[in-house]
Amino acid sequence: MPDWVWSPLRWALVAAAFSPIALALGWALVEGLLFPRLIPRDAIDALAEAVMREHPEDPEGWAFREEHAAWVRSRAVEQGQWRRVRRRIRARMREEEASRAAWNRGGV
């Protein structure tokens, strides 16, 4: 057969061989990055509030343990949810820390 037939056929076989890998990587990205972002911010805020209320000694650590447990169970959406909750808790703790520091300096 002529060379112009083999070259496209070879590339078609390479594409067919690597398509399951590309599909798996694409799905992992969608499940790990996109789906957790579809969870409403109000739900994340409510969950962060509940965690801070129920675990006042270390809410960020508790959320991290939940995120790790979701990772162990291979639940990417749940892991992303807990990552967002943990980040929200960290932001709230920094806000509280800044307001306490301003209060101690005689500010607000």
Side-chain angles (χ1 to χ4, degrees):
M1 287 184 129
D3 191 40
W4 62 271
V5 172
W6 286 111
S7 183
L9 186 60
R10 207 172 324 151
W11 283 110
L13 289 173
V14 168
F18 283 110
S19 64
I21 296 168
L23 210 66
L25 287 175
W27 181 251
L29 287 174
V30 166
E31 193 176 33
L33 297 175
L34 182 65
F35 286 166
R37 293 180 196 273
L38 296 177
I39 300 170
R41 183 175 293 175
D42 294 339
I44 297 297
D45 286 342
L47 199 51
E49 178 93 17
V51 169
M52 290 179 77
R53 187 175 50 250
E54 294 172 13
H55 305 280
E57 66 284 346
D58 187 19
E60 189 178 0
W62 192 86
F64 176 76
R65 287 188 291 277
E66 286 297 317
E67 180 183 348
H68 181 71
W71 175 75
V72 169
R73 293 188 300 263
S74 298
R75 295 186 177 165
V77 177
E78 184 180 346
Q79 180 185 1
Q81 172 189 351
W82 284 110
R83 182 179 306 118
R84 286 185 62 196
V85 168
R86 183 173 51 85
R87 288 179 180 167
R88 184 64 187 134
I89 289 171
R90 182 182 301 150
R92 283 191 181 176
M93 290 172 68
R94 285 185 180 160
E95 289 170 5
E96 289 175 5
E97 216 173 271
S99 68
R100 269 190 247 126
W103 178 262
N104 290 339
R105 285 192 312 261
V108 176

